[in-house]
Amino acid sequence: VAASVAGAAARHDRAVGGPVPDLLGRLLEAMLVLGTLVVLWVVCRRGRSERRIDNRLDRAVISCLPGAALALLALAAVYAAWSRPGWVSAGSLPGDVTFRVLTVGQGALVVALTVVAFGLYRRTPEPRTVLYGLGGPAVAMLACALGGVMSGGVAQRVADWLDGSGTPGMGRASVIDGPPVLLSWQASVIPVLLVLLLVPAAVLGVRTWLAARALEPEVDQEYGQKRPDAARTRQIARIRATAALTDSAPWLLGLVSGATLLLGAAAVAGAWASGEVPGLALDGAGPFIESVAETAQSTGSWMVGFGFILFVTWGRRAYRDASARRTIGILWDVGTFWPRAAHPFAPPCYAERAVPDLASRMSGWTGRTRGRLVISGHSQGSVLAASAVWQLPAETRKRVALLTYGSPIERLYGRWFPAYFGPGPLHGLHRSVHCWRNLWRATDPIGGRVRLDDGSEPEVDRGPLRDPLVYGRTEEHPLPEPVLGHSDYQADPVFAEERAALLARLGPLLPRQADGGSGETQGSSGRSSG
């Protein structure tokens, strides 16, 4: 923003002599270029080495970037507001070409990432991998689209506010040229994208409904009810079918990303070929086509602004609504689990602190007491627990058992990050850990099986657990039991049963310790995604 504001004034001062020395504009432009180079240097340098502490870079440079950007914006505003007699504002703000270059560059990077990811998948194919290894490029494409919606929403709404009753860029009662032409073309393809997505969304909805209907007899048979309650059966079957959507979501993500890339390329081609917004570029093509183009442009423009407002509102809602906060927390946990190279400007990677601390505590306790340990983890905590067990020396690992429940370690991490949590690494963990048990439910949309049941006894996975525990009212459960889904695995009697079985498999009880302890414990990882 500072570059857009200061650039026009600096070029005017260099072209026309005036009261403002052109040296000021050159200095401000040099500071903007320097700031850009610093940001690029930070992105390329951060998190690239395990031998360098990122906190040094945080304290020295990164903490200063927001303040430096605001200071440059303030200087640019003061410089541009300097009195320049005879200078009249006309046309659009600079940055149209820059916006196009950035858009094309993002698309080219996504295509290059797609080629590389597909080559890596062909080299070591794994059927469970999301989108045949193209999950990363798909997410990158949606991230670029989200950035465009955020910036485009601000630009469109500000342009409408400045232009009064006119429509920016349409030349009809319009004073200003409006946002970049490419942004108008991109906004015009958003309604087309939504219409295209109606088909797969409808297919997914119908398939889920049919799956729920097919599950109803299984639910009645599982609970052995002589007089089943149709509403209760439908509720359980519907939740089970909906929880299975997690496994189908990557294909919908792939369709959205692919359609976004193709429609974005069409928008770039239309903007460069015509040089005008769609409503003007298609003048003379017929009343119907002109009407469709204007409607798409207008609708897309408002949808871009609405999307920006919706995104901000959703962020505010996370502070008040526990369910929204839980959903955002899950995505946040997955993102910040990885090192800083994956998220240079996000908060530090918590796994770099939590995993070594947990492994050190397990090693220290078992070494000091010679006791047995069951480390249990729920949801994201199961990933931390498994990662910590991976770090243990072989002697310590013999006295440690792993109990996971509601675990996304294979269902999400194994499919999205197969190099680290795929079948090979998980089989290696299974062979190295003394005993491992994983609990899962069919109603859980996040946790699932580990899929390491290779004939060894007992198997790693146990499930699906009953959810709800009982179908109707009983003496032990006088109130209807809720469907727990991803939460409260400890409330299931199977949890205590499996925990005791793991302790029994670790070996006989050790003599009572001097402090009165029995030499055994159950640990729980301290992080959970809900």
Side-chain angles (χ1 to χ4, degrees):
V1 175
S4 298
V5 172
R11 283 192 295 272
H12 171 79
D13 293 337
R14 285 196 296 269
V16 180
V20 183
D22 64 344
L23 178 62
L24 295 178
R26 294 181 185 276
L27 288 175
L28 188 55
E29 288 179 328
M31 294 168 64
L32 291 167
V33 171
L34 178 62
T36 303
L37 295 177
V38 168
V39 171
L40 292 176
W41 174 76
V42 167
V43 173
C44 295
R45 182 180 176 86
R46 177 177 236 175
R48 302 299 175 181
S49 173
E50 295 293 333
R51 301 180 180 180
R52 185 185 305 111
I53 299 177
D54 285 334
N55 289 340
R56 296 179 183 175
L57 196 61
D58 291 349
R59 292 191 298 265
V61 179
I62 296 178
S63 59
C64 303
L65 288 179
L70 290 175
L72 283 175
L73 179 59
L75 289 175
V78 171
Y79 171 70
W82 204 307
S83 177
R84 293 175 176 83
W87 187 33
V88 179
S89 298
S92 62
L93 283 173
D96 197 351
V97 176
T98 304
F99 183 74
R100 295 184 186 185
V101 171
L102 287 175
T103 302
V104 173
Q106 287 177 343
L109 287 174
V110 169
V111 171
L113 186 62
T114 302
V115 174
V116 172
F118 187 69
L120 291 174
Y121 178 81
R122 289 190 61 186
R123 191 179 307 168
T124 54
E126 171 52 49
R128 290 279 298 169
T129 303
V130 167
L131 297 176
Y132 301 106
L134 301 183
V139 174
M141 186 69 253
L142 290 185
C144 295
L146 179 61
V149 169
M150 294 286 288
S151 58
V154 174
Q156 292 279 12
R157 298 285 68 80
V158 170
D160 282 338
W161 172 63
L162 292 175
D163 214 31
S165 60
T167 302
M170 292 301 295
R172 299 162 187 168
S174 181
V175 179
I176 63 175
D177 288 348
V181 173
L182 178 56
L183 181 59
S184 298
W185 278 86
Q186 289 178 334
S188 300
V189 302
I190 291 179
V192 181
L193 175 64
L194 294 180
V195 170
L196 292 177
L197 291 179
L198 288 177
V199 176
V203 170
L204 207 58
V206 171
R207 193 175 72 176
T208 303
W209 180 76
L210 293 175
R213 292 291 302 271
L215 284 172
E216 291 179 11
E218 296 182 16
V219 172
D220 292 336
Q221 183 179 4
E222 176 183 341
Y223 288 96
Q225 294 295 311
K226 297 180 179 179
R227 298 178 181 178
D229 182 356
R232 178 71 161 171
T233 300
R234 280 196 303 269
Q235 178 198 23
I236 299 173
R238 184 183 69 252
I239 293 176
R240 289 184 181 182
T242 305
L245 286 176
T246 302
D247 301 318
S248 304
W251 291 108
L252 185 61
L253 174 70
L255 289 174
V256 174
S257 299
T260 301
L261 180 62
L262 294 177
L263 291 174
V268 171
W272 273 355
S274 65
E276 294 180 325
V277 297
L280 298 179
L282 297 178
D283 271 345
F288 177 75
I289 296 180
E290 289 181 20
S291 175
V292 170
E294 291 188 11
T295 301
Q297 179 182 339
S298 172
T299 304
S301 171
W302 280 105
M303 292 182 71
V304 166
F306 176 74
F308 170 76
I309 296 173
L310 184 65
F311 188 82
V312 174
T313 304
W314 195 37
R316 288 175 55 87
R317 182 186 167 206
Y319 289 95
R320 303 178 182 178
D321 186 0
S323 62
R325 185 163 57 250
R326 186 181 304 116
T327 302
I328 295 175
I330 292 170
L331 299 176
W332 189 270
D333 276 353
V334 173
T336 54
F337 173 82
W338 300 101
R340 296 300 285 271
H343 48 86
F345 291 101
C349 168
Y350 65 84
E352 291 180 346
R353 304 185 303 277
V355 172
D357 287 349
L358 189 57
S360 175
R361 184 165 185 178
M362 287 191 289
S363 297
W365 188 88
T366 53
R368 185 177 66 255
T369 65
R370 310 300 296 174
R372 304 170 299 163
L373 184 87
V374 171
I375 177 71
S376 68
H378 170 248
S379 193
Q380 183 72 12
S382 67
V383 182
L384 291 174
S387 301
V389 172
W390 250 315
Q391 308 298 323
L392 295 176
E395 184 64 26
T396 303
R397 203 178 294 134
K398 294 177 181 179
R399 291 192 292 274
V400 175
L402 181 60
L403 176 60
T404 56
Y405 44 99
S407 174
I409 196 169
E410 193 282 333
R411 192 178 189 183
L412 298 181
Y413 279 83
R415 298 187 65 194
W416 287 90
F417 313 105
Y420 301 97
F421 292 94
L426 290 182
H427 275 288
L429 176 63
H430 185 207
R431 289 190 298 267
S432 62
V433 73
H434 186 76
C435 42
W436 180 8
R437 206 72 162 124
N438 178 68
L439 311 179
W440 65 283
R441 294 175 178 143
T443 56
D444 191 342
I446 298 174
R449 291 180 289 173
V450 178
R451 300 177 185 272
L452 297 180
D453 302 331
D454 51 6
S456 59
E457 291 294 337
E459 298 177 344
V460 174
D461 290 317
R462 176 166 179 178
L465 305 183
R466 278 195 175 186
D467 187 30
L469 288 175
V470 294
Y471 186 88
R473 302 173 187 266
T474 64
E475 293 182 359
E476 295 81 7
H477 304 276
L479 297 177
E481 284 291 300
V483 180
L484 298 176
H486 187 57
S487 61
D488 290 337
Y489 273 81
Q490 297 94 329
D492 196 308
V494 173
F495 179 85
E497 175 186 333
E498 290 296 336
R499 184 177 60 186
L502 288 175
L503 277 173
R505 289 181 61 194
L506 282 174
L509 285 173
L510 294 179
R512 185 174 295 274
Q513 305 299 307
D515 60 357
S518 64
E520 64 183 63
T521 188
Q522 294 86 31
S524 177
S525 68
R527 192 172 185 92
S528 170
S529 296

